[in-house]
Amino acid sequence: MGTRFIEVDESRQGEPGVQRGGRTLTVGDQSITQETWVKVEAYDDLDPAVTGDVHLHTFAVPGMEVRVGAAKNDEDGSGEFETRLVPSVQYYQIELGPDSLNRLHDALKPFIAAAKECDPPKGRKARAK
C-alpha cells in the first residue's frame, strides 16, 4: 500500500507521523544499530505526490470463476471432470486522496446509476467437513 518512511531529524520527533526507528548496519560478523527518526507517510496509490487526506478504501469487483466439479463416470473410465462458471467477488484495497477518490466515483457513476442500492451480503456459514 502507499506508505513510505522518510528519515527526519530528531528535532521533529513531536510531529504527527514521526516515530523512533533503528537502522542496523552489519559488516562481516559485527552489527551496530543506530537510532533514527522516521516520518511514516501515506500517499495516494495513483498519485504518489499526494500525501494529504489519504485514506484506505476497500472495494469489491464481481467476476466469474471456473470451478471444477466431480468426475463423470464414463464407460471407458476416463473420469472427465465437469467445469462450470460461478459468480465470484474479488476484494481490493487502495489508498486514495480526494482527487483520486473522485475519479473512482466518476468512473463508477454509469454503473451506480443503473443499479439499485441494497444491503451488504450476509456472511456465508462454513460447511461442515
Side-chain angles (χ1 to χ4, degrees), residues 59-125:
F59 62 98
V61 176
M64 297 299 279
E65 173 181 308
V66 176
R67 293 245 175 107
V68 178
K72 296 182 199 175
N73 289 329
D74 296 339
E75 290 177 12
D76 63 0
S78 65
E80 187 176 308
F81 289 97
E82 291 183 295
T83 60
R84 61 189 170 109
L85 286 175
V86 294
S88 67
V89 176
Q90 181 64 50
Y91 293 89
Y92 297 90
Q93 288 188 326
I94 190 168
E95 293 194 59
L96 299 175
D99 291 341
S100 292
L101 184 58
N102 285 336
R103 286 176 45 206
L104 175 61
H105 287 177
D106 288 346
L108 292 174
K109 271 183 187 175
F111 301 97
I112 292 171
K116 67 176 186 173
E117 193 170 331
C118 66
D119 293 329
K122 291 179 175 48
R124 295 178 131 186
K125 292 183 181 180

